[in-house]
Amino acid sequence: MKKTLVVMAAGMGSRFGGLKQVTPVDEEGNFIIDYSIYDAIKNGFTKVIFIIKEEYLDLFKNSIEKRIEDKIKVDYAFQRIEDVPISMDIKSREKPWGTVQALLSAKPYVSESFVVINADDFYGDKAFRKASEFLDNVTQPFTYACLSYEFGATKSHYGSVKRGVLELKENHVHSIIESKIDYENEQFVARPLNEKLEFFIQEETPVSMNLFAFQTDIFPLLEDYWSSFFKQKQEILLNTEALLPECLMKNIKKGKIKILNLPSESIWLGMTYQSDLEIVKDKLRELKKQNKYPIDLWG
């Protein structure tokens, strides 16, 4: 079956100090997203949609699109701060409204089952293979998959990170708690972003890195959540985001959806901080030496 890759690339990269989405990670000038698209094409994806801020369009067209335009269909969706369902003063808002808005901005371009990822994360070939196989075989509506990683494989040596901490029941996701995770007193402390009590996790605790496989019936659920999100007081709205894991949690609790947990069995690479960049470069260089990726990715 045809499958689409949806890439969330409108983030600001505040802790990194720049646009991680378009930071070169190898000697050939490729970005992390090049590797994800390479793995997606290898596993049967025929279209990629970049969700970006509109001012980044020329940058994407003149860099990554030039490298891939003859290998996969490319579309763009714009995530705009002003695209909200109510009338409100947004002058003080500096960044988009979160991952729910991001996916809804891509809806007009999605006509088939899809995988969503972050632009600045490396997920690995096995993760894309598992996601592709899931979409090829899923038959029940409102049934999705989360490709999970052990937290220890995703931590940074240079500071706190944000992860969706998973609670599983058998092989399904029971809850996703978006949390800021710190290492304190030789323990990993997860502090939920929604003000729940902090808790401890282990290196082997499964976490979500925003790699999900969805059918198109997810969109009405996203629209319902997006509308309800804006029923909050405006002073709260201006400082919060509509997060995909929160939407999924709400619908899991209502029994509307099922999310299969699929351990990715892949390495993960990412750049929360500038200091992470050299680690990513070294690991990708090693993967090329092991012939996991060609030296010239798009040659």
Side-chain angles (χ1 to χ4, degrees):
M1 65 174 291
K2 289 186 176 181
K3 296 177 284 285
T4 293
L5 178 66
V6 177
V7 181
M8 297 187 292
M12 301 291 286
S14 55
R15 286 176 293 176
F16 184 75
L19 290 177
K20 293 185 285 184
Q21 307 96 308
V22 290
T23 296
V25 294
D26 61 19
E27 288 78 2
E28 292 72 41
N30 293 306
F31 314 142
I32 276 188
I33 187 57
D34 282 280
Y35 287 85
S36 290
I37 294 171
Y38 180 91
D39 287 333
I41 293 171
K42 182 179 175 182
N43 287 287
F45 290 75
T46 57
K47 179 178 178 179
V48 58
I49 302 167
F50 294 109
I51 303 169
I52 61 173
K53 297 179 73 173
E54 195 165 0
E55 56 261 40
Y56 299 161
L57 179 60
D58 287 343
L59 178 60
F60 271 72
K61 279 184 169 291
N62 293 326
S63 56
I64 185 168
E65 183 177 339
K66 281 190 173 182
R67 300 196 280 265
I68 66 173
E69 60 187 353
D70 61 340
K71 299 172 177 64
I72 189 170
K73 179 176 172 54
V74 179
D75 271 323
Y76 294 92
F78 300 134
Q79 188 174 4
R80 301 181 177 96
I81 293 176
E82 62 268 25
D83 287 346
V84 294
I86 63 171
S87 177
M88 61 182 296
D89 184 357
I90 58 170
K91 292 177 182 177
S92 63
R93 183 83 185 188
E94 295 182 354
K95 59 182 181 178
W97 295 90
T99 43
V100 169
Q101 186 200 26
L103 281 186
L104 287 176
S105 69
K107 180 187 174 184
Y109 309 96
V110 177
S111 58
E112 56 208 12
S113 296
F114 65 98
V115 162
V116 61
I117 64 171
N118 295 330
D120 51 1
D121 288 351
F122 174 98
Y123 295 98
D125 173 64
K126 285 185 179 179
F128 282 96
R129 187 187 316 158
K130 283 193 166 191
S132 179
E133 290 173 352
F134 169 80
L135 291 178
D136 285 341
N137 293 292
V138 64
T139 57
Q140 296 298 314
F142 301 105
T143 302
Y144 316 126
C146 173
L147 282 294
S148 64
Y149 294 75
E150 291 189 355
F151 168 70
T154 75
K155 65 184 181 182
S156 172
H157 297 289
Y158 302 104
S160 62
V161 294
K162 292 181 181 178
R163 302 289 182 257
V165 181
L166 300 178
E167 180 187 350
L168 306 178
K169 280 195 173 180
E170 296 179 350
N171 60 342
H172 284 79
V173 175
H174 180 65
S175 73
I176 310 173
I177 304 175
E178 282 290 295
S179 305
K180 177 185 176 185
I181 302 173
D182 293 281
Y183 188 64
E184 298 175 357
N185 300 319
E186 300 185 346
Q187 295 186 93
F188 292 107
V189 184
R191 295 183 171 90
L193 303 186
N194 62 2
E195 299 183 1
K196 290 182 180 179
L197 294 176
E198 65 184 42
F199 58 97
F200 299 107
I201 65 171
Q202 307 299 319
E203 294 222 2
E204 60 270 22
T205 298
V207 296
S208 161
M209 301 302 297
N210 274 341
L211 172 50
F212 293 97
F214 288 124
Q215 301 183 78
T216 55
D217 54 15
I218 187 66
F219 285 113
L221 305 179
L222 294 172
E223 290 169 333
D224 288 345
Y225 183 83
W226 181 237
S227 296
S228 64
F229 175 79
F230 278 91
K231 293 179 181 178
Q232 302 176 85
K233 294 181 179 179
Q234 290 200 16
E235 57 267 28
I236 297 175
L237 284 173
L238 289 172
N239 296 296
T240 57
E241 296 181 13
L243 299 176
L244 176 61
E246 295 290 337
C247 174
L248 297 177
M249 272 288 296
K250 179 179 179 180
N251 285 285
I252 289 172
K253 288 181 177 179
K254 289 183 176 181
K256 289 186 174 182
I257 65 173
K258 292 182 179 180
I259 302 180
L260 182 67
N261 175 61
L262 295 177
S264 67
E265 298 180 347
S266 286
I267 67 167
W268 173 91
L269 300 172
M271 302 179 296
T272 304
Y273 303 94
Q274 274 283 345
S275 302
D276 292 317
L277 178 56
E278 289 306 314
I279 296 174
V280 170
K281 287 182 176 181
D282 288 344
K283 189 61 181 179
L284 290 174
R285 195 177 296 117
E286 181 182 331
L287 289 173
K288 287 184 176 183
K289 287 181 179 178
Q290 296 171 358
N291 295 318
K292 299 293 179 62
Y293 295 92
I295 297 298
D296 185 359
L297 202 62
W298 301 115

